[in-house]
Amino acid sequence: MRPPVGVHFDAAFGDNLDDLLALSLLYSLDNRNECRVIGMTTSKDNLESAGLYEVYQKLYGGRPTAIGMETGKVRSATGMVLKAAAEGQATTVKSVLDTAEPNGLIRNLLTANHDGNAVIICTGPTDNLRDLMKLQTARPVVAAKVRTLYLVGDEAKPVADWPTPVVTVPVPTGLSYVAKAADFGWNEKHPAAQVLALMPDAKLNRAAMAAVLQAVRGKDFVVTDAVLAELVAAKPIPRQRMRGFGV
Amino acid sequence: MMTRKALSRRTMLRGVGAAIALPAMDAMAPAFASSQLPGPKPVRMAFVYVPNGIDMRNWTPANEGALPAELPRILKPLEAHKKDITILSNLTHNGGRALLDGAGDHGRCCGGYLSGVQPRKSFVDIKAGVSMDQIVANAIGSQTRFPSLEVGLEDARQAGDCDSGYSCAYTNNLAWRSETQALPPILDPRALFERLFGTGAELSPEAKARQAKYRRSILDFVMGDTRKLEANLGPTDRRKLDEYLSSIRSIEQQLERAEKDNSQINPGMDKPYGVPADFAEHFKLMTDMITVAFQADLSRVVTFLVTREGTSRPYREIGIADGHHPLTHHMNKPELLEKVTQINTYHVQQFAGWIEKLKSAKEGDSNLLENSMIVYGAGLSDGNRHTHEDLPTLIAGNGGGYIKSGRRVVARRETPMSNLFLTMMDRMGVQVDHFGDATGRLAGLDLA
């Protein structure tokens, strides 16, 4: 029996609230055994960004995989959202050595999946995926394992020579879902809650959340405010994981 | 004014059909310098593999950079050689992981250790990858008598299921000439001795008769020629030749002693291990011969599988009657962990003896260790959980002045072990663009 689809999440994590909520949604779906979060990489050269991923892993009982972080001083700034989300969080990511090189990490994580049973969601710059395609050993792995690459937003930059279908998820229309800090009442230190507490009126475009639902529930799934309200801030569910899958 | 007498690198001591290679002597410098070597002295490379992972709590130094005054317990035997070793952290073999193939971590971690690939799960239709030692051996092996040497101390079965459907070829070999052909290690010291120094089988009937009559060692047959050669050597080379022949004589004597000892041992079971019965003695014999092979430039590439991966060998030598493998599934029970640590330390103790020997072998202004890269490590990190990241790895030696040793170098998490292999191949003068699952060269070995 195949396990649920494996999802790799790549973002300039911490640059906006949408990404934080999208990852919360993804983990909610993981908790419900609808998918498996197989890995996370940030295209920011920023330890707080990488550390924040680890906070999510622990918060939702995720698989303790290494966190991938781009280096080279790209998008290294700590903006207001990241600062608020990372405030007071405990993480073991203290130096670049506590993170992994994104391209090798993504390849390795994909190798542990059944053919065609993984997707990648990239909500920000595609640097990490372009680096992945430069690895000679990565292309056949991507071709075999990745069912679809989801790029988020109206200005998503394509990845040249990507060997499997690419879906660009535009900013959805007709949605008005707004998260509130109180929604995460089950843990006031939830990174999204900390941001919302400080910036309750932070703007959302909901494209990353739509991409998560489309990747996990299929392209025909209709994203509604009710679904987002039910899942995004949902409390983690203790559950029996399917064992033997994933790194 | 000093003049140097040039000897051909191929000069051999010949005595009644027996042939023994000479150590690299100063007088050989002209012939030596004309070879295609990357530096003034040949760089040697060896891999010493220990099975079943290592107790990492007692292996890893607390800090990055310069090694602390006191090394962790398992590495303590190497404290005297602290300046000559580099400890590497965070190197990973993704191919050792299950990756949907289920149980069999021991088979995978050893079968792909030097190739960076995941071996095929089979004990019939085996497939791994060409190991990096063989890539180097293919490229530079013509410069030495033996392109590579494969050595071990335990089981060399090549067939059958040794780990959850993985062939014994995976657990019992390190070197792979092709994807389907492993190179079994030589386990018997005598076989290694004969391979390196000749069997005497090619002697003429008259010579054989003489040999039988006088029961002299192979060396005895070459002494006449040695004396002739000595007359043409300077004092330094004469001393070197003397040391070299003494070391061969010493090995020969050890062999005789070991055989005699074995005949008096009643193990109360089928003889499970080769000659000699004592582990430390066996280890020393093999590494002594590897040292001579390096000195004489008989080979520059060695793989040494200390014991087979997944071994359940007990270590009665140090009072441990439990099998090694079962012990490593210690479930964090202190008394079992303690035994694992003792076995790990015992292995390093033997290794330290070899390092001492390499270091004391002078080579021009440096020594054999400085011109070598001796990797000591395992294909598993935590033997209890079968983890394949942060593999215990250290390099003894400087690779001909390249490696700035005396440090712990920490790579980023998930850094492929193959990155280290690419860097080592560079040092061996073999340029390869891609290898295994490498993502690039390993940075930081040459940084002080």
Side-chain angles (χ1 to χ4, degrees):
Chain A
M1 191 181 82
R2 279 190 168 210
V5 65
V7 183
H8 182 84
F9 191 81
D10 182 84
F13 200 55
D15 272 2
N16 59 65
L17 180 59
D18 270 290
D19 290 345
L20 270 60
L21 295 176
L23 188 58
S24 305
L25 171 61
L26 184 61
Y27 264 119
S28 283
L29 294 166
D30 177 302
N31 276 194
R32 285 159 178 76
N33 272 335
E34 290 190 42
C35 69
R36 296 167 297 123
V37 179
I38 57 173
M40 295 173 286
T41 45
T42 179
S43 49
K44 284 175 75 70
D45 181 359
N46 185 305
L47 290 173
E48 285 178 302
S49 173
L52 200 55
Y53 271 139
E54 194 200 42
V55 171
Y56 267 85
Q57 258 180 3
K58 289 178 178 170
L59 199 57
Y60 287 92
R63 296 155 189 83
T65 56
I67 304 298
M69 187 182 85
E70 177 64 272
T71 53
K73 298 292 173 195
V74 284
R75 294 173 287 279
S76 58
T78 300
M80 283 179 63
V81 170
L82 180 54
K83 193 176 175 193
E87 182 70 35
Q89 305 284 9
T91 170
T92 62
V93 179
K94 306 287 186 200
S95 88
V96 69
L97 302 177
D98 300 321
T99 68
E101 197 180 10
N103 56 1
L105 176 67
I106 298 172
R107 179 201 57 195
N108 287 358
L109 293 167
L110 289 174
T111 54
N113 288 272
H114 287 276
D115 286 358
N117 199 37
V119 297
I120 295 177
I121 299 171
C122 176
T123 71
T126 50
D127 302 25
N128 287 337
L129 302 182
R130 281 186 273 129
D131 284 349
L132 175 66
M133 295 313 292
K134 286 177 194 162
L135 268 188
Q136 198 194 40
T137 48
R139 190 183 170 82
V141 175
V142 171
K145 307 290 182 182
V146 180
R147 183 195 303 167
T148 311
L149 165 63
Y150 292 90
L151 299 177
V152 173
D154 297 326
E155 295 170 5
K157 198 173 171 182
V159 183
D161 296 328
W162 188 263
T164 61
V166 179
V167 172
T168 301
V169 182
V171 174
T173 54
L175 292 178
S176 58
Y177 167 74
V178 176
K180 295 187 279 297
D183 297 343
F184 296 90
W186 49 272
N187 189 325
E188 61 185 18
K189 290 195 78 175
H190 191 289
Q194 292 195 162
V195 175
L196 286 163
L198 207 68
M199 295 175 272
D201 300 324
K203 285 186 178 173
L204 295 176
N205 69 23
R206 304 169 194 87
M209 287 181 269
V212 166
L213 282 166
Q214 195 171 332
V216 175
R217 292 191 169 174
K219 63 181 172 60
D220 297 327
F221 182 79
V222 180
V223 182
T224 63
D225 286 336
V227 170
L228 295 176
E230 178 201 345
L231 292 172
V232 171
K235 188 178 176 181
I237 304 170
R239 79 280 189 221
Q240 288 293 315
R241 267 191 201 295
M242 293 180 69
R243 297 199 178 275
F245 299 106
V247 175
Chain B
M1 183 181 158
M2 286 181 69
T3 57
R4 302 177 77 181
K5 291 174 179 168
L7 294 177
S8 157
R9 182 72 191 94
R10 296 288 176 198
T11 296
M12 309 290 272
L13 296 175
R14 294 186 188 283
V16 209
I20 291 183
L22 290 172
M25 296 189 289
D26 290 351
M28 294 170 178
F32 205 65
S34 65
S35 66
Q36 299 298 310
L37 301 173
K41 298 290 178 196
V43 178
R44 286 78 159 193
M45 175 180 89
F47 294 90
V48 181
Y49 183 99
V50 287
N52 301 330
I54 282 179
D55 173 16
M56 297 302 283
R57 297 164 316 145
N58 285 305
W59 167 276
T60 311
N63 62 304
E64 192 192 352
L67 293 175
E70 278 198 31
L71 291 179
R73 183 175 162 195
I74 292 170
L75 296 175
K76 232 171 180 46
L78 285 165
E79 229 160 50
H81 312 294
K82 206 168 55 184
K83 289 182 178 166
D84 307 303
I85 62 171
T86 307
I87 295 166
L88 302 173
S89 295
N90 272 347
L91 298 181
T92 296
H93 257 322
N94 189 50
R97 291 170 170 147
L99 309 183
L100 305 175
D101 276 349
D105 290 288
H106 291 284
R108 284 189 296 265
C109 75
C110 186
Y113 186 70
L114 289 179
S115 63
V117 304
Q118 187 185 37
R120 177 188 288 160
K121 189 168 192 173
S122 172
F123 54 89
V124 180
D125 185 19
I126 61 168
K127 185 183 176 191
V130 179
S131 54
M132 68 83 82
D133 59 299
Q134 290 307 301
I135 292 175
V136 173
N138 285 339
I140 66 165
S142 61
Q143 296 171 39
T144 56
R145 191 187 300 172
F146 304 103
S148 66
L149 293 172
E150 294 74 39
V151 178
L153 301 183
E154 210 194 16
D155 191 357
R157 275 178 299 152
Q158 297 299 304
D161 179 354
C162 271
D163 184 22
S164 309
Y166 283 94
S167 167
C168 297
Y170 297 131
T171 55
N172 297 3
N173 301 297
L174 280 178
W176 288 73
R177 181 177 285 158
S178 71
E179 288 182 341
T180 53
Q181 189 191 4
L183 295 173
I186 298 174
L187 310 178
D188 184 341
R190 176 169 286 278
L192 180 61
F193 182 90
E194 287 176 351
R195 180 162 188 223
L196 290 172
F197 311 120
T199 63
E202 66 279 37
L203 298 182
S204 66
E206 293 81 8
K208 279 181 180 169
R210 267 207 307 277
Q211 189 180 39
K213 183 179 177 185
Y214 294 110
R215 298 276 179 202
R216 296 192 313 194
S217 84
I218 292 168
L219 280 182
D220 292 337
F221 290 97
V222 300
M223 286 308 177
D225 281 357
T226 308
R227 281 190 206 100
K228 279 183 210 163
L229 180 63
E230 273 180 329
N232 294 320
L233 294 175
T236 310
D237 283 345
R238 227 176 306 179
R239 183 180 52 78
K240 277 187 182 176
L241 183 63
D242 189 45
E243 283 175 2
Y244 174 71
L245 294 176
S246 297
S247 63
I248 292 178
R249 172 80 75 193
S250 161
I251 290 167
E252 200 175 36
Q253 286 167 347
Q254 286 177 54
L255 280 167
E256 285 168 6
R257 195 173 60 242
E259 284 176 347
K260 196 185 289 178
D261 288 349
N262 273 2
S263 66
Q264 294 166 351
I265 289 173
N266 178 8
M269 55 183 280
D270 290 339
K271 189 177 176 182
Y273 309 110
V275 178
D278 181 72
F279 181 87
E281 179 77 1
H282 197 179
F283 191 109
K284 185 173 182 304
L285 265 175
M286 296 310 236
T287 50
D288 280 358
M289 282 187 273
I290 296 169
T291 304
V292 174
F294 278 170
Q295 271 181 301
D297 205 18
L298 293 178
S299 185
R300 297 173 192 165
V301 179
V302 170
T303 51
F304 182 14
L305 185 65
V306 174
T307 52
R308 60 177 288 269
E309 180 56 59
T311 182
S312 289
R313 184 194 194 284
Y315 283 82
R316 294 195 174 86
E317 300 89 341
I318 52 172
I320 297 177
D322 316 66
H324 187 188
H325 178 230
L327 276 176
T328 56
H329 290 290
H330 45 64
M331 297 169 290
N332 293 315
K333 289 181 182 168
E335 68 276 17
L336 301 184
L337 261 167
E338 170 59 25
K339 289 178 181 175
V340 172
T341 309
Q342 283 179 23
I343 293 170
N344 295 158
T345 310
Y346 181 61
H347 285 157
V348 172
Q349 209 177 334
Q350 312 315 316
F351 180 68
W354 185 29
I355 295 309
E356 173 74 49
K357 183 128 191 158
L358 289 169
K359 202 171 164 182
S360 61
K362 296 293 172 208
E363 193 169 57
D365 296 333
S366 60
N367 60 60
L368 209 47
L369 184 61
E370 281 184 33
N371 296 320
S372 301
M373 295 181 284
I374 315 293
V375 174
Y376 181 97
L380 287 174
S381 180
D382 178 350
N384 186 38
R385 293 186 298 128
H386 286 181
T387 50
H388 301 270
E389 58 274 1
D390 191 18
L391 295 173
T393 310
L394 70 80
I395 306 181
N398 306 92
Y402 171 73
I403 298 169
K404 302 291 180 282
S405 52
R407 298 173 303 137
R408 176 182 174 221
V409 176
V410 184
R412 294 183 73 183
R413 291 183 66 185
E414 289 286 312
T415 299
M417 181 72 96
S418 299
N419 288 14
L420 168 65
F421 296 158
L422 267 183
T423 306
M424 289 179 69
M425 283 193 269
D426 288 348
R427 285 309 300 159
M428 295 302 292
V430 181
Q431 291 288 326
V432 176
D433 289 336
H434 303 285
F435 177 74
D437 62 346
T439 55
R441 263 76 182 167
L442 185 69
L445 285 181
D446 57 338
L447 302 174

